[in-house]
Amino acid sequence: MSNFRIIRTIETKFGINVVKYKSNRTSLSAILVDIEAPLVSGFFTIPTEATDDDGCPHTLEHLVFLGSELYPYKGVLDTLANRAFAQGTNAWTETDHTCYTITTAGSEGFLKLLPIYVDHILYPTLTESGHYTEVHHINGKGEDAGVYSIYFKNYRVVYSEMQGRQNTCDSRVTLQYQRLMYPEGCGYRSETGGLMECLRHLGVEKIRQYHHDYYRPDNLCLIITGKVSHSELFKVLDPLDDRIASKGNLPPRKRPFVDSAPIALLEKSIQETVEFPDEDESMGQVVIAWLGPTIDKFLDLRTLEILYEYLSDSAVSVLQKEFVEIEEPLCTDIDISINEQTRTAILATFENVPTEELEDLVTGLFDVFKRIVNEGIDMERMKSVIQRDRLKTLDEIEVDPHNVFSGHCIVDHVYGKETGEDLEIAVKDLSYYDQLLNFSEGQWIEYLKKYHIDNPHIALLGCPSAKFSKKLIDDELKRVEKQRETLGPEKLKELEKQLGKAKELNESPIPPQIIENFPVPSVESITFINVITGRNKSEEKYKNIVQDYLDRDNLADIPYFIQFDHINSAFVTISIHITTASIPDHLRPYLEIYLESFYSLPLNRPNGEHLTFEQLVNELNKDTVSYEHNWGVRGFEGMICFSIKVEASKYATGIQWLRDLLWNTEFTAERLKICATKLLNDIPQTKRDGYQMAINVLQTIQYDRLRSNKYVLGTLNQEKVLPEAIKLLEKNPNKAIEMFAKLKEILISPENFRIHVSGDIMKLPNPKSTWAEYFKIIPDIKPLSPIPSPQSVLTESGHSPGNKGYIVKLPAIENSFAIHSTKGPNTFDSPDLAPLLVLCELLHIMEGVFWRVIRGQGLAYSVWLKVTVETGIIQFSTYKSPDAYKVYDQARKIVNDLASKKVEFDKSELEGAKSGVIYGLVSKEDNIQKAAAESFVLQVLNNLDSGFNKKLISRVQAVKFEDLHAMLIKYITKLYMPETSNVIVISTPGKVKDIQEGFNTHGFNLEVKSLDKVIN
Ligand SMILES: [Zn+2]
């Protein structure tokens, strides 16, 4: 008999059942969520409470991965995970819990890994040397931390992680909110990540004590989502539980937060300014916080969530209309969310607020609230918000069941009743939607008054400051300088030695038998999702029930290319992919504004009905679950796509909408200007993102400046285009509108269309002929335009990278980012593809080659290789590094040593690398909607067989160790040579000189540029 008994079994209507178990011996709990899917995920959750800013919860999250009682080797967990069809492990720390995660393809590897993972969580080694290298130390140069090594799983130095995030706008505002909202001694007040000044003094003893207090079996819950046999699971868990029990009894458990003092209500409102470092002082952030209902008030919380949807969900919602959809927007984005705590907190965040408007926005918000109280709620729209939210909940369960259900389970484990009754309500009950539909206007107003008008608040104005930025840098330099002086050269030498010793202690090699004894699971244990494809025009290759069904629907001839993908879904997604190759150069820059305005223009229906833009948004929201636009699907940068998801019963309505949006909307200067301004205001934030900028700058080198969307719609180009467009819309609105009309006319020629319908095709009454009735049928369509090859818009430097690159200074960041590119295979049938993918995985996998010489040495948060067949380019990316040159230098050295066979690949890592590639291929189709989308990408965009990924998996399995060396010579070594690679580095200004000198000693000729000089 098993140690584990069932606490509660919950059957939901979504075909997903949940069972909560608890051990009779150790009170370890497990929640199993039964999901039919190829991936299995684990969320191993420990509630943690901290009353100071030392960061014990977060440092533990890192130290757990350094080895355990039974497996006392750093990296052993990830090395084994890599063999289990997983891509490493991960973890996060929130204010109230730490969660350790793993996702595997199939359950076989998952079950093998589970007891090893739990051994790490409950019995980590927590050594002095581990603490020294991974939490904080002072290196021989007198600098703190060695700057990187315990960050989350990918980057393990805690101190460096906090250095990178402690002073961002978000972090500074959040911490100040916590300080003002919660009293001393309350766990919600703490920075559980650990403040740098605290981490510098945190000793390992304190962390060990913290582990002892919180990492106990009765505080741990193993949340598992996916297809796992319960009996197989207990074959693994029972012996583990016995071992835990053998460690002896524990004192009674105090539940974190639940057994702590309740949160006191705020007595009066407070407003404060919080500075954050940024050279660009134009845009800030506003956060307003209130305390909400206690966590057990299920209906109150759902009510508030709906109220916030109503207030901010779309262009016609009250707050968006007031603050975003205006000529001079006060912000670009509004988010109101509820923090789940014993007493919840409600945070309204306004992004990209012009600095001079920060205060007015707060006043403005309360004015709007008061106005709603006086003028009332639009009950018609509220009804549509509730219905849409219900559909969205159902849709999320289809798209992301692992995260939806694990989210509920985590909250239950931290705050719920032990009986599982709160969990049952959370995962099962959608009847609150019916209750909310019956709410009167007065009830909604009551909620707004109670929680937002009569309830004291904290308003924080996040204000960018160049002076503060400089001060932070100066202070830190001074502090380190002083530290260096105080320590003196002798002591520094000693510290350097001490660090070396600690590293050595941490790096004791994993005995090969541990790895070899961990069996590689079989691919057969993975259950793939079955998608059945048919086409509008019957094609020889499709002989299946879906094609038969489509062929029988022959009431009308539909002149379009349509692919139907059948999945077991409650929704239908209708997408139209449009090639942009025929857009003339002078109009292409305005495509971005067109895309942005697509769903928010006035509409003239063929029946004479006129809808204002607000009415259109309202109606569209009523009829759909979601709608979106994007461009550059999977590297096909010349394609744009509009996509509408509806309940299956609204298939015809979805088609009709697509017709109206394509042909019957009307451009107005006012709407276009609002869209352009919104896009423009988003730019400063994007420009603070070092990695995004690296991508953008590289695109300016590798893509054609006139014909490529990547160049033309890129942030740097749009920053120049948008103000001109706005000016034109103001000065000569008619000319501007004419231009947009021309752009649209060229774009929406039917020969540019490829349509995709995915959903339960067999349940649609007339999947084909519905198009005749509800779409625009244009006779004599020209032959379908070819799909523009991404390679056709590459520049010479894009086709054959070499001798191109810059270093770009970015004051808003504290570290550096880089991308190196070189030529790769450019066809999917290339025999190089499978071995190259395995090689890349072997190099950048967790605990792999790059990991050891780069991440493990604290040189970067992460590095990875990416092979893009569509463009024939391979990239090496460096993400958050104190010095991107040093990363390059290490990568180059190790790659050259491998090439010259001075260093050999570790043969035992081959299976791990293959399993990593296989995991990546499986996760491309890990839910029904993704699987259907992948079917279109493969068959239509790439002109491949729908089973391509499965075939590639077999090719990957067949890769031999001997195949790798040739790939290294042919491709990877070229990434690090100046004549065969392009390099972009984005760096904090202080490091630019070092980085430039470093690269130039290797024959690169990197010019330093400021961001606004990249294109001219
Ligand atoms: Zn971390």
Side-chain angles (χ1 to χ4, degrees):
M1 236 188 65
S2 169
N3 292 356
F4 289 82
R5 66 175 194 283
I6 293 180
I7 300 291
R8 188 166 286 250
T9 303
I10 307 164
E11 285 178 24
T12 71
K13 286 181 216 142
F14 326 114
I16 294 173
N17 295 336
V18 181
V19 187
K20 181 170 179 173
Y21 293 95
K22 190 170 221 137
S23 156
N24 290 325
R25 298 191 65 187
T26 64
S27 292
L28 171 66
S29 42
I31 303 177
L32 259 84
V33 183
D34 209 357
I35 299 168
E36 285 286 344
L39 298 184
V40 177
S41 291
F43 302 83
F44 309 144
T45 307
I46 303 223
T48 50
E49 186 174 4
T51 50
D52 55 39
D53 304 316
D54 284 358
C56 282
H58 182 204
T59 47
L60 262 176
E61 176 208 316
H62 287 252
L63 292 177
V64 152
F65 293 99
L66 294 192
S68 71
E69 195 173 284
L70 296 179
Y71 300 86
Y73 309 98
K74 181 181 167 191
V76 67
L77 186 65
D78 281 326
T79 305
L80 297 179
N82 292 345
R83 282 170 80 88
F85 292 160
Q87 272 178 342
T89 54
N90 215 331
W92 70 74
T93 296
E94 290 277 347
T95 306
D96 57 5
H97 72 272
T98 295
C99 182
Y100 296 89
T101 62
I102 170 90
T103 299
T104 62
S107 65
E108 213 180 299
F110 185 90
L111 290 174
K112 291 270 171 358
L113 201 68
L114 177 64
I116 303 171
Y117 208 151
V118 174
D119 197 59
H120 277 75
I121 295 170
L122 290 180
Y123 312 113
T125 50
L126 301 184
T127 58
E128 195 87 47
S129 60
H131 171 268
Y132 197 69
T133 59
E134 312 299 305
V135 177
H136 172 260
H137 56 261
I138 297 174
N139 65 18
K141 288 185 201 147
E143 297 159 348
D144 291 83
V147 190
Y148 296 84
S149 121
I150 186 172
Y151 197 129
F152 80 159
K153 283 279 340 276
N154 283 338
Y155 172 53
R156 296 191 171 169
V157 183
V158 175
Y159 186 84
S160 318
E161 174 183 350
M162 295 313 295
Q163 195 170 36
R165 85 172 194 224
Q166 184 168 326
N167 284 314
T168 61
C169 176
D170 278 338
S171 298
R172 292 187 55 85
V173 169
T174 306
L175 188 62
Q176 190 57 13
Y177 137 72
Q178 289 170 234
R179 294 298 201 247
L180 293 172
M181 189 68 98
Y182 310 103
E184 287 279 359
C186 173
Y188 296 118
R189 183 186 168 90
S190 312
E191 170 52 270
T192 51
L195 292 179
M196 289 189 278
E197 49 273 33
C198 301
L199 288 169
R200 290 200 286 267
H201 305 291
L202 172 65
V204 69
E205 269 316 315
K206 181 163 180 182
I207 303 173
R208 285 182 188 145
Q209 186 58 44
Y210 194 87
H211 181 271
H212 180 264
D213 294 343
Y214 288 92
Y215 280 51
R216 345 176 345 148
D218 53 359
N219 199 33
L220 170 64
C221 182
L222 307 174
I223 297 160
I224 301 168
T225 61
K227 200 83 211 134
V228 177
S229 143
H230 290 216
S231 61
E232 291 297 316
L233 174 69
F234 290 114
K235 274 189 207 159
V236 170
L237 281 188
D238 279 330
L240 177 68
D241 197 52
D242 292 341
R243 187 168 113 74
I244 296 170
S246 73
K247 301 260 174 185
N249 292 333
L250 291 166
R253 167 196 183 213
K254 170 184 174 287
R255 275 185 85 180
F257 296 102
V258 175
D259 295 334
S260 299
I263 297 175
L265 294 172
L266 202 61
E267 280 168 13
K268 58 176 190 348
S269 294
I270 304 169
Q271 178 162 321
E272 273 190 15
T273 298
V274 180
E275 285 193 327
F276 67 93
D278 198 336
E279 301 282 312
D280 179 348
E281 294 188 337
S282 63
M283 297 282 175
Q285 186 194 52
V286 171
V287 173
I288 304 174
W290 300 264
L291 286 172
T294 52
I295 184 106
D296 53 343
K297 297 285 187 296
F298 184 79
L299 184 64
D300 286 345
L301 290 167
R302 299 296 86 75
T303 307
L304 288 171
E305 277 170 7
I306 295 289
L307 182 62
Y308 304 146
E309 280 290 305
Y310 171 84
L311 290 172
S312 63
D313 73 330
S314 66
V316 297
S317 64
V318 189
L319 296 180
Q320 298 258 2
K321 253 173 29 187
E322 189 76 22
F323 299 121
V324 184
E325 300 291 326
I326 50 176
E327 287 216 8
E328 312 228 316
L330 293 177
C331 63
T332 59
D333 204 12
I334 303 171
D335 175 67
I336 312 180
S337 64
I338 299 179
N339 280 2
E340 284 164 315
Q341 311 175 151
T342 49
R343 177 177 289 285
T344 57
I346 302 152
L347 272 74
T349 307
F350 299 81
E351 297 282 358
N352 300 319
V353 182
T355 311
E356 63 283 3
E357 310 276 3
L358 290 167
E359 255 192 285
D360 294 347
L361 193 136
V362 180
T363 332
L365 179 70
F366 285 97
D367 288 347
V368 175
F369 285 167
K370 283 173 204 146
R371 210 171 66 215
I372 298 173
V373 171
N374 292 330
E375 292 173 6
I377 298 270
D378 177 348
M379 291 299 279
E380 205 34 51
R381 208 174 82 77
M382 180 62 91
K383 197 173 133 198
S384 125
V385 168
I386 298 170
Q387 279 161 341
R388 195 152 191 265
D389 198 74
R390 185 171 184 282
L391 293 177
K392 278 194 176 280
T393 303
L394 290 170
D395 183 48
E396 241 183 72
I397 291 172
E398 275 190 17
V399 175
D400 195 9
H402 299 276
N403 281 318
V404 170
F405 279 83
S406 66
H408 291 311
C409 295
I410 290 169
V411 173
D412 179 69
H413 180 59
V414 181
Y415 295 110
K417 290 188 201 70
E418 309 249 353
T419 55
E421 58 190 282
D422 295 322
L423 179 62
E424 173 142 14
I425 296 172
V427 300
K428 191 174 169 182
D429 193 10
L430 296 185
S431 65
Y432 61 87
Y433 284 111
D434 300 324
Q435 280 171 281
L436 295 180
L437 281 171
N438 288 323
F439 262 36
S440 68
E441 193 176 352
Q443 278 173 292
W444 289 109
I445 299 273
E446 200 37 56
Y447 272 89
L448 183 65
K449 270 175 69 180
K450 179 172 172 189
Y451 289 103
H452 296 287
I453 298 178
D454 303 339
N455 188 12
H457 67 265
I458 291 169
L460 295 172
L461 317 179
C463 192
S465 161
K467 211 171 126 194
F468 184 54
S469 171
K470 190 168 176 310
K471 183 177 177 320
L472 274 178
I473 296 168
D474 290 350
D475 287 357
E476 179 64 7
L477 284 175
K478 269 187 219 143
R479 191 189 63 76
V480 175
E481 193 46 52
K482 196 169 158 230
Q483 176 164 287
R484 210 173 277 145
E485 262 168 42
T486 319
L487 291 167
E490 283 305 305
K491 182 73 185 163
L492 285 177
K493 248 184 230 155
E494 201 184 309
L495 285 172
E496 183 72 33
K497 251 191 225 155
Q498 197 179 334
L499 179 59
K501 230 186 266 165
K503 277 186 185 163
E504 221 170 89
L505 280 171
N506 292 343
E507 299 298 335
S508 59
I510 305 169
Q513 65 272 21
I514 291 191
I515 298 167
E516 283 151 21
N517 290 344
F518 189 91
V520 176
S522 67
V523 178
E524 285 68 44
S525 77
I526 307 168
T527 29
F528 285 92
I529 291 162
N530 189 23
V531 178
I532 311 172
T533 303
R535 296 253 169 104
N536 171 30
K537 308 272 183 207
S538 182
E539 288 177 33
E540 270 303 294
K541 65 173 172 179
Y542 299 111
K543 291 203 170 74
N544 57 49
I545 49 165
V546 172
Q547 188 64 57
D548 288 347
Y549 183 63
L550 291 168
D551 290 343
R552 286 201 297 276
D553 176 14
N554 51 11
L555 295 170
D557 182 40
I558 315 297
Y560 297 104
F561 173 94
I562 311 178
Q563 173 164 309
F564 295 86
D565 277 309
H566 175 79
I567 46 172
N568 182 17
S569 168
F571 303 97
V572 179
T573 303
I574 307 158
S575 310
I576 182 153
H577 296 253
I578 307 176
T579 114
T580 65
S582 49
I583 300 180
D585 297 345
H586 72 285
L587 292 177
R588 188 174 301 278
Y590 305 104
L591 186 57
E592 176 100 38
I593 303 173
Y594 172 66
L595 292 171
E596 181 68 26
S597 71
F598 188 77
Y599 297 104
S600 60
L601 293 169
L603 169 68
N604 299 305
R605 285 211 162 112
N607 62 7
E609 193 186 356
H610 176 80
L611 269 64
T612 63
F613 105 88
E614 291 181 21
Q615 286 166 328
L616 177 143
V617 176
N618 265 328
E619 294 293 312
L620 191 60
N621 284 343
K622 224 186 271 179
D623 286 337
T624 64
V625 185
S626 61
Y627 46 87
E628 51 185 49
H629 68 265
N630 54 47
W631 60 269
V633 182
R634 239 12 128 62
F636 284 87
E637 66 101 57
M639 302 293 285
I640 58 169
C641 172
F642 299 106
S643 179
I644 290 182
K645 194 189 290 183
V646 292
E647 284 172 274
S649 62
K650 290 196 168 170
Y651 179 51
T653 318
I655 295 174
Q656 195 174 349
W657 266 116
L658 213 45
R659 176 200 65 196
D660 283 344
L661 291 163
L662 285 168
W663 281 285
N664 301 328
T665 53
E666 177 195 324
F667 291 119
T668 67
E670 192 203 355
R671 287 303 309 155
L672 290 169
K673 206 181 127 193
I674 287 171
C675 291
T677 311
K678 203 156 84 178
L679 289 167
L680 185 62
N681 288 356
D682 271 332
I683 287 181
Q685 197 176 30
T686 314
K687 283 174 68 186
R688 282 175 204 147
D689 182 332
Y691 189 63
Q692 275 308 317
M693 283 305 104
I695 294 175
N696 223 280
V697 175
L698 185 62
Q699 284 168 356
T700 64
I701 294 180
Q702 297 189 161
Y703 286 87
D704 187 277
R705 59 181 303 156
L706 296 173
R707 291 180 302 121
S708 137
N709 289 336
K710 279 216 166 141
Y711 188 106
V712 176
L713 307 189
T715 306
L716 295 175
N717 195 48
Q718 286 295 303
E719 192 182 22
K720 301 200 185 315
V721 170
L722 292 167
E724 282 166 25
I726 293 168
K727 221 189 278 164
L728 186 65
L729 282 158
E730 277 166 357
K731 290 211 170 126
N732 197 344
N734 289 339
K735 187 170 170 224
I737 288 173
E738 213 174 279
M739 204 171 68
F740 278 97
K742 188 73 199 157
L743 169 73
K744 172 168 136 175
E745 186 198 316
I746 295 166
L747 199 61
I748 64 172
S749 303
E751 70 269 16
N752 292 338
F753 294 172
R754 284 170 179 79
I755 296 166
H756 185 212
V757 177
S758 69
D760 194 336
I761 307 297
M762 303 298 285
K763 283 205 188 120
L764 297 176
N766 300 299
K768 270 165 60 179
S769 52
T770 310
W771 287 84
E773 200 172 336
Y774 294 95
F775 204 61
K776 185 160 175 159
I777 298 299
I778 294 174
D780 306 323
I781 297 179
K782 287 187 224 153
L784 205 55
S785 4
I787 289 176
S789 149
Q791 290 166 39
S792 68
V793 288
L794 291 175
T795 58
E796 202 34 53
S797 300
H799 277 294
S800 302
N803 296 320
K804 278 265 152 89
Y806 323 123
I807 303 178
V808 177
K809 287 189 255 183
L810 196 61
I813 57 174
E814 292 179 34
N815 23 43
S816 59
F817 299 79
I819 305 180
H820 305 242
S821 68
T822 195
K823 214 176 165 90
N826 61 3
T827 59
F828 281 96
D829 55 6
S830 160
D832 290 351
L833 184 58
L836 180 61
L837 289 175
V838 175
L839 172 66
C840 290
E841 191 75 15
L842 193 63
L843 290 169
H844 72 193
I845 198 169
M846 269 185 185
E847 301 299 340
V849 176
F850 284 162
W851 176 283
R852 289 190 289 265
V853 299
I854 295 167
R855 294 199 272 204
Q857 304 305 316
L859 293 179
Y861 185 90
S862 64
V863 294
W864 66 92
L865 290 157
K866 186 177 172 200
V867 178
T868 308
V869 179
E870 289 84 353
T871 46
I873 289 176
I874 303 174
Q875 289 184 353
F876 171 73
S877 296
T878 298
Y879 191 82
K880 279 194 192 165
S881 160
D883 186 335
Y885 163 69
K886 289 191 182 149
V887 175
Y888 158 81
D889 196 36
Q890 285 295 317
R892 179 189 60 84
K893 271 189 199 139
I894 187 75
V895 164
N896 287 345
D897 285 350
L898 288 163
S900 66
K901 304 216 169 171
K902 202 163 128 195
V903 175
E904 295 276 349
F905 281 113
D906 185 346
K907 216 168 177 172
S908 71
E909 289 175 4
L910 178 68
E911 287 306 323
K914 286 186 188 176
S915 122
V917 177
I918 291 170
Y919 173 88
L921 292 168
V922 171
S923 56
K924 280 185 179 176
E925 12 189 313
D926 64 3
N927 71 52
I928 46 179
Q929 297 189 19
K930 255 164 98 178
E934 182 70 9
S935 166
F936 184 86
V937 169
L938 287 174
Q939 300 185 80
V940 181
L941 298 183
N942 282 308
N943 197 19
L944 295 165
D945 195 78
S946 67
F948 176 80
N949 289 331
K950 267 165 249 159
K951 279 185 201 138
L952 188 54
I953 287 176
S954 316
R955 280 162 64 191
V956 165
Q957 280 200 306
V959 170
K960 290 195 198 63
F961 191 67
E962 296 71 46
D963 303 338
L964 303 181
H965 190 256
M967 295 300 110
L968 189 80
I969 302 284
K970 186 165 173 189
Y971 299 106
I972 305 298
T973 53
K974 309 270 167 71
L975 263 171
Y976 306 99
M977 299 177 188
E979 53 288 356
T980 47
S981 70
N982 296 332
V983 187
I984 297 298
V985 180
I986 308 286
S987 169
T988 187
K991 268 286 171 191
V992 164
K993 210 166 152 267
D994 287 356
I995 295 176
Q996 186 187 28
E997 281 172 11
F999 276 104
N1000 290 356
T1001 57
H1002 292 278
F1004 289 87
N1005 191 8
L1006 299 188
E1007 209 185 314
V1008 177
K1009 286 202 178 189
S1010 63
L1011 201 50
D1012 51 341
K1013 294 276 161 24
V1014 169
I1015 59 176
N1016 26 45

